[in-house]
Each structure stands twice: as C-alpha cells, then as structure tokens.
Amino acid sequence: MDSQRAPDLLRNGSGEHRAAEFTRLQLIDDEQQFSGKLSEYMQNKWRLAKAGFDYDVVAVFGSQSTGKSTLLNRLFGTRFDVMSEAQRQQTTRGIWADRGTGGMPVLIMDVEGTDGRERGEHQDFERKSALFSLAVAEVVIVNMWENMVGLYNGANMGLLKTVMEVNLQLFSGGEPKKTLLYFVIRDHVSAAPLESLATTLTTDLARIWDSLSKPPGTESASMDSYFDVKFASLPHKLLQPADFEREAVGLRRQFTDVGSPEYVFKADYKRRVPADGFPHYASSVWEKVVSNKDLDLPTQQELLAQFRCDEIAAAALEPFRELLAPVRLRVQEGKVVEDLGAIAQSARTQALDAFVAQAARYHSGVYTKKRAGLMATLDAELHAVLLNQVKNASAQAAEAFSREAAR
C-alpha cells in the first residue's frame, strides 16, 4: 500500500504495516492549563527528545467546524477527534498535539476552532492560543472554506490582525524569525481559480498589515520580514472524494518530501529550540501568553538556554563525582593515589564532553558562560583533591626522610 495514501498506518520494525497508536496529548486544556506530560510524550510517546534541531512544528487554526482536525489527520496520519457529519459542534477543546506518523519528525498542534458558540463572547482563549501557535510553530495552517474568502470574520482576518500585531513584539529583542502562513482553502467548488482567491486574501493581509499599530522601530517593517504566505485548495471532501484524495496526497508531499520544490519546512522558519528543550520552552511561552506579560522570544530562548544548560551541567557532574568519590576518600585517609593526574583528567574530559554534546546547540552566549562555570566547578573540586594528594605526598616524604636520618 502506498504510504502517501495511508498516513494512518505505520511500519513496524519488520516492515509490516500496523495501525497508528493514539499518542495525542491535550497540550493546553480549555481551562488554559498547560500539560505536565509534554516531556514524557516527547521522550517516550513521540520519541522526538533526541532529535536536536531535526524536527518541525506545525499548527492549524481556523473557524470552528471547518474540518481542521480532518485535514491534519489526512496530512499527517494523526488521530485527532473530528466532527460528526450529522452534528456541527465543537470537537477540539484547547490545543492538542501529536507526532506525524511514518517516522515523520513533525509535531502537530490542533488548535481549538475560533468563533465557537461554546465560548460565545469569551474569545480570549482563541487569541492566546493563536499567538502561542505563532510563537512555537514554523508553519501555521489557516484552514477555511472557499465561501469565507473575502469575509472579515469568516476568513479569521480579525484574529489574524491581533496575532500579527502581537507577533511584531515577539522578536523585539533580535532578528525576526519568519513564520509560514499556509492558507488551505477547503471545498473549492467554484470556477474561481486558486490564484484569484489567493489575490483576494493577499490584498486583505496587506490591508491588515498596513493598519497595524507597530512597536517603535518597526514602523516601516514589511510583512514579508515576518511572514511568508502560501496558498492551496482542496476539492469538496463529500461531493468530490476522488479529487479530494488526489489533491490531499499532493499537499501531504509538501510536508514530507524534502526534495520537493514545494517543501514547506525551510531553515528561515526554524525556531532554533532543541527538541529536548521544547517542553520547557513551550510551557514558558504559554505562561507569558496566558498572563498577558510581555513575550520576547529571543529572551525566552536565552532563559531556556540557562535552564537547560544548568540541567545538563548538573547531569554531567554526577558521573564526574562518582568517579572521583573513591579517589577522594583514599586521599582523605592520607594515602597517595597513583595515576591521580590521569584519573582526574579523564573524569574532567568526560564531564565536559557530556556537557558540550547536549548544551552546545543552545544560545551561544549562555552556553559559553555556563561551560566556563562548569569548568570552574570541575577544577575547584579537582584542586581540593590534588591539594590533599600533595599534602599526603609531602607528609610521606618527610616521614621517610626522618626515618633515614634516624639510622
């Protein structure tokens, strides 16, 4: 079976197909609480924790009941809940996350639909979740019906205005990182070509950008310094199932085929957050968003680097101290340990190598400072042992000299 046509299937170690596991996680619930299980899922469920920078993040948002979850499931093989064709009610509450199937190193976020009647006038969560998506995701899919194009509310232009305005502040501490806004137009059944629909949306986006209240220093900033915009359309899923399937397969390839000129994950979009630090980073970003505090992503990345480098340094010190413990004990007992220099050098090198292997990919300034701090700690602990060794050797030499002098 063609894997492009079966994203809901995985291959096991023997090459046989098996059903995809339910590994979705409610990352943020509808009470705005961030899940404490993200680290566990990154490590054990999704197996992305050791991916370094070799992973990508995608989010989808749009109006309620536009088939966002259906689209993600079709593109990435995820198992997000989808709306019943017989009932038009909200299925996604909060933000759910899962990994793409088939070994795809992509983390997908399914964001609660906007304009939902369940929240009524309380749209605060929707704005915050959309801002969070822009802060952590490289690609944001805006899912919408064809008949919403040109409508301010239906096309989420109001939400996009809020998000774009605040997004200007995300990178106020450094160079902006681009985000790809990928508009996927669903149920494209009219005679209007995609180019015409894209022109309408592009005009609307330009009008929004020009009307933004921009922070000092960004008044003349252009939209393409912060965003790339891409468009695709899909036929009607129920009325044109074969056409929908064919186009969906082609759209999926844009997320899976690295060699394709349409491949969406470009280096410009990378947030440069190592996978093992993503849980702490995402949690910190959400805490800032939900508490309405100023969110500056370069600063958040520095804070993440400090947090992770401290963790990595502490982990590197444990085996160093275990190797040194028996030597330290013998020296404290007044003995002279042979090859102490070689033992000390080996333990120090192992600790530094362990730190560098994981910490070097974080913020360079923070990494350099933390590496120097770790070296100072290692050297201080070794100095104490070596000083005792010298004292013991001196005492033994003095004792031997006294014995010889007494003869």
Side-chain angles (χ1 to χ4, degrees):
M1 183 180 294
D2 184 353
S3 61
Q4 291 287 349
R5 292 184 172 275
D8 58 334
L9 296 180
L10 288 168
R11 290 186 181 274
N12 59 24
S14 64
E16 298 175 347
H17 286 290
R18 61 180 174 83
E21 298 176 358
F22 286 84
T23 57
R24 63 194 180 198
L25 169 69
Q26 190 173 26
L27 185 61
I28 300 169
D29 65 23
D30 53 352
E31 298 299 324
Q32 305 191 25
Q33 298 300 308
F34 195 92
S35 174
K37 297 181 178 180
L38 182 55
S39 291
E40 174 192 341
Y41 271 67
M42 287 289 288
Q43 182 72 39
N44 301 320
K45 295 285 188 178
W46 303 329
R47 302 189 183 281
L48 285 172
K50 297 181 179 179
F53 294 118
D54 297 329
Y55 76 105
D56 301 289
V57 183
V58 175
V60 62
F61 67 85
S63 297
Q64 180 186 311
S65 305
T66 53
K68 299 186 311 301
S69 302
T70 298
L71 177 65
L72 292 180
N73 292 346
R74 187 62 197 79
L75 294 181
F76 303 104
T78 47
R79 295 294 185 90
F80 296 121
D81 287 340
V82 298
M83 183 188 67
S84 166
E85 300 292 349
Q87 286 185 303
R88 299 188 68 82
Q89 63 183 26
Q90 190 174 38
T91 53
T92 302
R93 301 300 301 269
I95 299 178
W96 288 78
D98 202 353
R99 176 181 175 167
T101 59
M104 191 188 304
V106 179
L107 183 61
I108 303 103
M109 299 192 304
D110 189 5
V111 182
E112 178 178 319
T114 61
D115 304 325
R117 67 180 182 183
E118 285 81 356
R119 291 200 184 270
E121 297 298 320
H122 303 288
Q123 305 298 318
D124 183 60
F125 179 79
E126 297 170 355
R127 287 190 291 271
K128 290 177 178 177
S129 60
L131 176 56
F132 174 78
S133 299
L134 275 176
V136 302
E138 304 154 49
V139 177
V140 173
I141 298 173
V142 183
N143 188 72
M144 57 191 299
W145 300 123
E146 181 195 5
N147 58 18
M148 290 179 173
V149 176
L151 301 179
Y152 186 82
N153 288 328
N156 293 296
M157 291 300 169
L159 176 62
L160 282 172
K161 179 177 181 179
T162 301
V163 166
M164 294 170 94
E165 194 166 52
V166 183
N167 190 62
L168 280 169
Q169 302 171 11
L170 295 182
F171 300 99
S172 60
E175 289 297 317
K177 278 291 183 181
K178 278 191 173 184
T179 300
L180 174 63
L181 293 179
Y182 201 154
F183 288 84
V184 177
I185 302 168
R186 305 287 297 279
D187 290 5
H188 184 190
V189 295
S190 76
L194 175 61
E195 292 75 11
S196 176
L197 300 175
T199 298
T200 299
L201 288 171
T202 301
T203 301
D204 289 342
L205 288 171
R207 187 180 300 116
I208 287 175
W209 184 262
D210 291 339
S211 70
L212 293 180
S213 174
K214 300 180 178 69
T218 64
E219 294 89 349
S220 60
S222 62
M223 179 178 163
D224 58 14
S225 295
Y226 293 84
F227 299 98
D228 283 339
V229 183
K230 191 176 177 68
F231 303 91
S233 66
L234 292 173
H236 199 292
K237 184 174 181 292
L238 297 180
L239 301 181
Q240 303 164 294
D243 293 338
F244 176 87
E245 173 70 15
R246 183 186 66 254
E247 295 298 323
V249 167
L251 184 57
R252 172 177 164 81
R253 289 196 185 100
Q254 296 184 24
F255 292 88
T256 58
D257 185 359
V258 179
S260 170
E262 299 296 323
Y263 187 63
V264 300
F265 297 120
K266 296 181 180 180
D268 287 350
Y269 308 146
K270 283 284 188 182
R271 294 298 185 254
R272 302 301 295 172
V273 176
D276 60 346
F278 181 79
H280 182 79
Y281 175 75
S283 176
S284 298
V285 168
W286 179 249
E287 190 277 329
K288 290 285 187 181
V289 169
V290 81
S291 60
N292 291 311
K293 295 179 181 178
D294 290 339
L295 179 59
D296 174 2
L297 292 193
T299 299
Q300 289 300 307
Q301 291 175 351
E302 287 190 36
L303 292 174
L304 170 65
Q306 292 176 17
F307 174 82
R308 282 294 295 143
C309 286
D310 284 342
E311 279 193 334
I312 295 166
L317 279 170
E318 287 185 15
F320 168 80
R321 286 168 174 161
E322 289 176 2
L323 285 171
L324 211 60
V327 176
R328 181 185 285 110
L329 180 61
R330 292 175 63 191
V331 170
Q332 288 172 347
E333 292 173 345
K335 299 176 181 177
V336 174
V337 179
E338 293 186 10
D339 299 325
L340 177 58
I343 295 171
Q345 182 63 39
S346 176
R348 184 181 187 276
T349 300
Q350 288 181 40
L352 274 177
D353 287 349
F355 176 80
V356 171
Q358 295 189 60
R361 52 190 172 221
Y362 285 94
H363 186 279
S364 60
V366 174
Y367 158 72
T368 301
K369 182 179 179 180
K370 295 295 183 180
R371 183 178 183 273
L374 175 61
M375 290 173 64
T377 299
L378 296 172
D379 291 344
E381 295 193 17
L382 288 174
H383 179 266
V385 175
L386 292 170
L387 184 60
N388 280 335
Q389 171 94 328
V390 170
K391 289 179 179 179
N392 294 343
S394 297
Q396 289 185 15
E399 183 179 347
F401 179 79
S402 298
R403 286 198 303 267
E404 287 293 326
R407 290 181 180 180

